[in-house]
Amino acid sequence: MSPSIPRPTVPTVLPPEYGPPLTAAQAARMMKAAEDVANAEGWPMVIAIVDSSGSLLMLHRHDQAQRASVDVAIAKATTAVNFRRETRVFQELVAGGGLGLRLLGMPHMTPLEGGMPILLEGKVVGAIGVSGMHSTQDEYVAKHGLAAIGALQA
Amino acid sequence: MSPSIPRPTVPTVLPPEYGPPLTAAQAARMMKAAEDVANAEGWPMVIAIVDSSGSLLMLHRHDQAQRASVDVAIAKATTAVNFRRETRVFQELVAGGGLGLRLLGMPHMTPLEGGMPILLEGKVVGAIGVSGMHSTQDEYVAKHGLAAIGALQA
Amino acid sequence: MSPSIPRPTVPTVLPPEYGPPLTAAQAARMMKAAEDVANAEGWPMVIAIVDSSGSLLMLHRHDQAQRASVDVAIAKATTAVNFRRETRVFQELVAGGGLGLRLLGMPHMTPLEGGMPILLEGKVVGAIGVSGMHSTQDEYVAKHGLAAIGALQA
Amino acid sequence: MSPSIPRPTVPTVLPPEYGPPLTAAQAARMMKAAEDVANAEGWPMVIAIVDSSGSLLMLHRHDQAQRASVDVAIAKATTAVNFRRETRVFQELVAGGGLGLRLLGMPHMTPLEGGMPILLEGKVVGAIGVSGMHSTQDEYVAKHGLAAIGALQA
């Protein structure tokens, strides 16, 4: 560490580690719970689930869900797992303006509420992304998916 | 028709027309039948179903399916619906060499057995693409998906 | 399994399963061994190592290595891990003509010798891809990388 | 110069010229210094170094670095060398709003602190991009890379 290079004063915040991949059985339980709430509400949606490698594990598109939501749901899920953060965090930073606006230039980062990493035993095992309705409704559905496998954070 | 322009002599063959999109309920029945046979065989696979617009409707990846099969299954399904033909047809044309080789330069065309259009009442309503095992096994699984909704052609 | 759908007769061949990701320390040992042999031969090369998620872990390009080899080395490595096979296998199938030619239409598959999956305890933990010289020289260098962590198959 | 066309009044600022490419040996020295400080801090990162042609020369990803940082580190480095400027400059222009926002529409430009051109004898010989922690920490690590070859600007 060169004394001539001023050390930044921001605190070090380490994100959760990556864990083993979500299983297909876990994804199916998440998907059912998420679809149940979407169907109960009458919301046509696309729900995508990726594993800890960022690879697509399961995707369901409902009748009359907007077609663009296929890519959006996958993008929310991959953003959540590759950055190990809820996509809502990025949305809020962008909405705050100023420095947050730079995030719009981040490659492969979709700053739209509705993508959530899946944490089991403190490790990122995958992510869920939901698209099709208002983003707060998207996240509401995503949370039901997390709850179905005990992965909803307090 | 100008008499100075020689008319091609190949017979006119019109492919089936596009119909309304496959429903999510139909896709779920196809997916279950395809997964049942894959599971009975112990084959880890990726099964993708698209509707008549070519948009992804449902995708399931099994534990330990090779990761590349996500893109391959989607590519087989979209090839089958966008060209309204089984992907095996293109595979055979390529294998035949000569003029068939030009198909390798066709954009967004994947000449690998295992993609099949879904025809209901004579119209293309979607397609199924399967990847993960030998391509004859992929197609075998795809056919069970078609059979589940009465779309297996004789 | 519908009795009206003929079952394929090819034997079921399951590839090795995916395991945990290769570590940065293992990648460094592989890289050093691969570079040592390349330097001893005087071969300017690009050596890429990906982990079991398919994500780039380490890449070194030598002075005067051809620039295109950056993409080629990464493509060989990702093909090897995503298909869990040596890229030479695909090269030979393509070279055999006939049905093998269809592989040229496989998305994200680079059929060029020099990409090898990394197996530890029977599981795929990553892959190495080498480019820059004749493909047999590329694979020769890749094998030295595997040997450095005891992953060279008999 | 037509007198009917008003001449812009902004001062002419020519960026530094491109020089010969950074060598692999220089990149290795930079990488070691950057990794040493990252390891001392306990920061999992991705460090990418490109040469004056913009082509990737060296990339190291640490265990548990966020996967998205592979693309982000490369993007920061290529932005720094292709625009011959520190990426922090673009970040500040975007943060300032107004005209600066147009930069978000610039192709292949990533306005995120942590990408720095490498200048030797006044010429751009490459760039380093760091990602994985707070952007001020990313740049702090990048500066240690520059210092290792005497390229840190006063």
Side-chain angles (χ1 to χ4, degrees):
Chain A
M1 282 155 284
S2 166
S4 67
I5 304 176
R7 191 175 172 281
T9 55
V10 295
T12 290
V13 182
L14 290 179
E17 294 193 353
Y18 288 111
L22 190 77
T23 66
Q26 289 169 322
R29 292 219 305 279
M30 292 181 66
M31 182 62 78
K32 182 175 185 318
E35 290 197 295
D36 281 351
V37 66
N39 288 335
E41 298 283 358
W43 297 340
M45 289 182 140
V46 178
I47 300 165
I49 299 173
V50 299
D51 70 13
S52 53
S53 77
S55 173
L56 191 59
L57 193 53
M58 188 170 283
L59 181 142
H60 286 194
R61 174 161 61 87
H62 296 162
D63 296 330
Q64 295 300 337
Q66 64 188 9
R67 206 173 298 137
S69 287
V70 171
D71 284 346
V72 175
I74 294 173
K76 286 179 177 178
T78 53
T79 296
V81 76
N82 287 337
F83 289 91
R84 294 181 291 198
R85 249 162 287 194
E86 301 178 7
T87 52
R88 188 175 21 75
V89 174
F90 292 119
Q91 170 177 293
E92 288 165 1
L93 287 166
V94 168
L99 258 185
L101 295 173
R102 64 182 173 167
L103 295 173
L104 294 172
M106 181 93 86
H108 308 304
M109 194 280 290
T110 298
L112 294 162
E113 185 178 10
M116 305 186 83
I118 305 166
L119 283 115
L120 289 178
E121 300 178 15
K123 303 214 171 180
V124 177
V125 298
I128 182 170
V130 181
S131 175
M133 298 295 297
H134 188 276
S135 66
T136 56
Q137 295 168 323
D138 294 341
E139 187 179 281
Y140 176 74
V141 168
K143 282 180 173 170
H144 281 80
L146 293 178
I149 58 165
L152 186 63
Q153 308 302 306
Chain B
M1 280 158 291
S2 165
S4 67
I5 304 176
R7 191 174 173 281
T9 55
V10 294
T12 291
V13 183
L14 290 178
E17 294 191 354
Y18 287 112
L22 190 77
T23 66
Q26 289 169 321
R29 293 218 307 278
M30 293 181 66
M31 182 62 77
K32 182 174 186 318
E35 289 197 295
D36 281 351
V37 66
N39 288 334
E41 298 281 359
W43 297 340
M45 289 181 140
V46 178
I47 301 164
I49 299 173
V50 299
D51 69 12
S52 53
S53 77
S55 172
L56 191 59
L57 192 53
M58 187 170 285
L59 181 142
H60 286 196
R61 173 161 62 88
H62 295 162
D63 296 330
Q64 294 297 342
Q66 67 186 6
R67 203 169 302 128
S69 286
V70 171
D71 285 345
V72 176
I74 294 173
K76 287 178 177 178
T78 53
T79 297
V81 75
N82 287 337
F83 290 93
R84 295 182 288 197
R85 245 162 290 194
E86 301 179 7
T87 51
R88 190 174 20 75
V89 174
F90 291 119
Q91 169 177 295
E92 288 164 2
L93 288 166
V94 168
L99 257 186
L101 294 176
R102 63 184 170 167
L103 295 173
L104 293 171
M106 181 96 84
H108 307 304
M109 194 282 291
T110 299
L112 294 161
E113 185 178 9
M116 305 187 83
I118 305 166
L119 282 115
L120 289 178
E121 298 176 19
K123 304 215 171 178
V124 177
V125 298
I128 181 170
V130 181
S131 175
M133 297 296 299
H134 188 277
S135 66
T136 57
Q137 296 168 325
D138 294 341
E139 187 179 280
Y140 176 70
V141 169
K143 282 180 173 170
H144 282 81
L146 293 178
I149 58 165
L152 187 64
Q153 308 302 307
Chain C
M1 284 154 285
S2 166
S4 66
I5 305 176
R7 191 173 173 283
T9 56
V10 295
T12 292
V13 182
L14 291 179
E17 294 193 353
Y18 288 111
L22 190 76
T23 65
Q26 289 169 322
R29 293 219 305 279
M30 293 181 66
M31 182 63 77
K32 181 174 186 320
E35 290 197 294
D36 280 351
V37 66
N39 288 334
E41 298 282 359
W43 297 340
M45 289 182 140
V46 178
I47 301 165
I49 299 173
V50 299
D51 70 13
S52 53
S53 77
S55 173
L56 192 58
L57 192 53
M58 189 170 283
L59 181 143
H60 287 195
R61 173 161 62 86
H62 296 161
D63 295 330
Q64 294 300 337
Q66 64 188 7
R67 206 172 298 137
S69 286
V70 172
D71 284 346
V72 176
I74 294 173
K76 287 178 176 179
T78 53
T79 296
V81 75
N82 288 336
F83 289 92
R84 294 182 292 199
R85 248 162 288 194
E86 301 179 7
T87 52
R88 188 174 20 76
V89 174
F90 292 120
Q91 170 176 294
E92 288 165 1
L93 287 167
V94 168
L99 257 185
L101 294 173
R102 63 182 172 165
L103 295 173
L104 293 172
M106 181 93 87
H108 307 304
M109 195 281 290
T110 298
L112 294 162
E113 185 179 10
M116 306 187 81
I118 305 165
L119 283 115
L120 290 178
E121 300 177 15
K123 304 215 172 179
V124 177
V125 298
I128 181 169
V130 181
S131 175
M133 297 295 297
H134 188 275
S135 66
T136 57
Q137 296 168 323
D138 294 341
E139 187 178 281
Y140 175 74
V141 169
K143 283 179 171 171
H144 282 79
L146 294 178
I149 58 165
L152 187 64
Q153 308 304 305
Chain D
M1 281 157 291
S2 165
S4 67
I5 303 176
R7 191 173 173 281
T9 55
V10 293
T12 291
V13 182
L14 289 178
E17 294 191 354
Y18 287 112
L22 190 77
T23 66
Q26 290 169 321
R29 292 218 308 278
M30 293 181 66
M31 182 62 78
K32 183 174 184 319
E35 289 197 295
D36 280 351
V37 66
N39 288 335
E41 298 281 0
W43 297 340
M45 290 181 139
V46 178
I47 301 165
I49 299 172
V50 299
D51 69 12
S52 53
S53 76
S55 173
L56 191 59
L57 193 53
M58 188 170 284
L59 181 143
H60 286 195
R61 173 161 62 88
H62 296 162
D63 296 330
Q64 294 297 341
Q66 67 185 7
R67 203 171 300 128
S69 286
V70 172
D71 284 346
V72 176
I74 295 173
K76 287 178 177 178
T78 54
T79 297
V81 74
N82 287 337
F83 290 92
R84 294 183 288 196
R85 245 162 291 193
E86 301 179 6
T87 51
R88 190 173 20 76
V89 174
F90 291 119
Q91 169 177 295
E92 288 164 1
L93 287 167
V94 167
L99 258 186
L101 294 175
R102 63 185 170 164
L103 295 174
L104 293 172
M106 181 96 84
H108 307 304
M109 193 282 291
T110 297
L112 294 161
E113 185 178 11
M116 305 188 81
I118 306 166
L119 283 113
L120 289 178
E121 299 176 17
K123 304 215 172 178
V124 177
V125 298
I128 181 169
V130 181
S131 174
M133 297 296 299
H134 188 277
S135 66
T136 56
Q137 296 168 325
D138 295 342
E139 187 178 280
Y140 176 71
V141 169
K143 282 179 173 171
H144 282 80
L146 294 178
I149 58 165
L152 186 64
Q153 308 304 305

